[in-house]
């Protein structure tokens, strides 16, 4: 038990640069208090003391601003960073090493009692501020949920989900999508150096349109050179012999 308590404190010291001492973490971190209060509440819930479990979680919510249903399962080294307004549903499962920020909802979309209504987070998942993960699906190990994303479908391991509804940025060779170092460190708020998939698609369309215009201009130039002087110029007067597609300007608009 004491080893688990020490790991709870150590994971906060490792992930939050604002944490200066063990005493500060123990006394001033509501995320830690929420996890510690959830454990007796979950014990009560799983041993038939349903009301006592709910009442304990209600007290924890009042003290910390973090609402965790006593039926939820939380692994080791889980860090609720700030986490005011966070809601964790009854059938939610949070794996070891996860980090959850303020305003997160691990909610359900089904009204059937006893069904798996809430998400399952794998190990080392980061759920950023304001994100909503809704449904009884899995978020793979090492995945990241961007701020204010609304996730309504499974997220593969190592991927990053961004947007409303969330779009998936795939992982790179089994690692997180925002990994660029040989030995990646913890990324606060699930920040990714990759682009939004929609932005990537727009850039691809811009590059394709620009390339097509360039090829068409080259064709008209070739036709102009091959035209016989006796037969006259066969190139139409409205043919685009020079490129005018503003690819660079459009790329700047989409953030390239």
């Amino acid at each position: 038990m004491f080893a688990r308590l020490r790991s709870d404190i150590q994971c906060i010291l490792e992930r939050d640069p604002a944490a200066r001492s063990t005493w500060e973490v123990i006394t001033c971190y509501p995320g830690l208090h929420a996890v510690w209060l959830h454990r007796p509440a979950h014990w009560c819930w799983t041993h038939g003391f349903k009301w006592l479990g709910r009442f304990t979680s209600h007290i924890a919510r009042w003290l910390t601003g973090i609402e965790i249903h006593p039926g939820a399962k939380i692994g080791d080294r889980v860090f609720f960073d700030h986490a005011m307004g966070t809601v964790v549903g009854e059938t939610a499962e949070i794996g070891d090493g996860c980090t959850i920020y303020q305003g997160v909802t691990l909610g359900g979309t089904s009204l059937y009692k006893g069904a798996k209504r809430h998400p399952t987070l794998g190990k080392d998942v980061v759920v950023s501020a304001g994100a909503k993960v809704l449904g009884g699906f899995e978020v793979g190990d090492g995945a990241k949920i961007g701020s204010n994303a609304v996730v309504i479908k499974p997220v593969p391991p190592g991927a990053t989900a961004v947007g409303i509804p969330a779009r998936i940025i795939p992982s790179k060779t089994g690692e997180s999508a925002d990994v660029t170092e040989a030995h990646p460190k913890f990324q606060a708020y699930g920040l990714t150096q990759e682009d939004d998939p929609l932005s990537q698609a727009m850039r691809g369309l811009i590059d394709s349109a620009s390339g097509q215009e360039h090829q068409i201009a080259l064709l008209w130039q070739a036709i102009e050179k091959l035209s016989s002087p006796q037969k006259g110029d066969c190139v139409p007067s409205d043919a685009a012999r020079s490129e005018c597609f503003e690819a660079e300007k459009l790329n700047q608009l989409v953030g390239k």
Side-chain angles (χ1 to χ4, degrees):
M1 180 183 70
F2 291 106
R4 192 176 189 186
L5 296 178
R6 284 194 296 270
S7 69
D8 292 334
I9 298 169
Q10 186 60 35
C11 80
I12 296 175
L13 292 171
E14 291 173 354
R15 296 181 218 168
D16 187 1
R20 296 176 296 178
S21 67
T22 298
W23 178 246
E24 181 179 349
V25 171
I26 293 174
T27 56
C28 301
Y29 274 70
L32 180 65
H33 304 155
V35 170
W36 284 355
L37 287 170
H38 171 73
R39 287 171 184 162
H42 183 69
W43 186 93
C44 291
W45 184 265
T46 56
H47 287 78
F49 303 100
K50 304 291 187 182
W51 178 87
L52 185 57
R54 286 302 302 268
F55 185 72
T56 303
S57 69
H58 179 69
I59 295 298
R61 175 179 178 270
W62 181 70
L63 291 173
T64 66
I66 302 168
E67 182 175 347
I68 307 175
H69 193 283
K73 298 178 181 179
I74 298 180
D76 296 332
R77 305 183 312 282
V78 173
F79 180 23
F80 288 89
D81 194 358
H82 303 292
M84 174 65 73
T86 292
V87 178
V88 180
E90 177 186 2
T91 61
E93 299 179 33
I94 302 176
D96 297 343
C98 290
T99 303
I100 298 175
Y101 289 90
Q102 63 270 20
V104 167
T105 299
L106 303 182
T109 56
S110 170
L111 298 179
Y112 296 104
K113 292 184 177 181
K116 171 64 173 171
R117 309 188 308 277
H118 304 91
T120 296
L121 307 185
K123 296 180 180 179
D124 302 317
V125 173
V126 177
V127 186
S128 302
K132 315 300 176 188
V133 188
L134 309 174
F137 51 82
E138 292 188 7
V139 177
D141 296 348
K144 291 178 172 57
I145 310 298
S147 295
N148 296 316
V150 178
V151 184
I152 54 176
K153 61 183 179 180
V155 180
T160 298
V162 295
I164 303 175
R167 299 177 291 275
I168 306 300
I169 302 175
S171 63
K172 294 181 177 179
T173 63
E175 296 178 329
S176 175
D178 65 342
V179 169
T180 56
E181 301 175 353
H183 301 285
K185 298 180 180 179
F186 172 71
Q187 299 288 335
Y189 287 95
L191 293 177
T192 176
Q193 297 179 6
E194 293 293 316
D195 295 306
D196 184 339
L198 182 59
S199 176
Q200 291 180 351
M202 289 296 295
R203 292 178 189 174
L205 291 173
I206 291 171
D207 292 340
S208 177
S210 177
Q212 289 178 11
E213 186 185 42
H214 178 65
Q215 294 299 320
I216 291 172
L218 292 176
L219 286 173
W220 284 126
Q221 292 171 14
I223 292 173
E224 184 179 18
K225 291 180 180 179
L226 294 173
S227 296
S228 173
Q230 292 79 14
K231 296 181 180 179
D233 190 357
C234 66
V235 179
S237 59
D238 59 347
R241 305 185 194 189
S242 60
E243 301 175 47
C244 59
F245 190 82
E246 298 179 339
E248 183 177 355
K249 181 179 179 180
L250 293 173
N251 276 320
Q252 289 177 351
L253 290 175
V254 299
K256 185 171 181 178

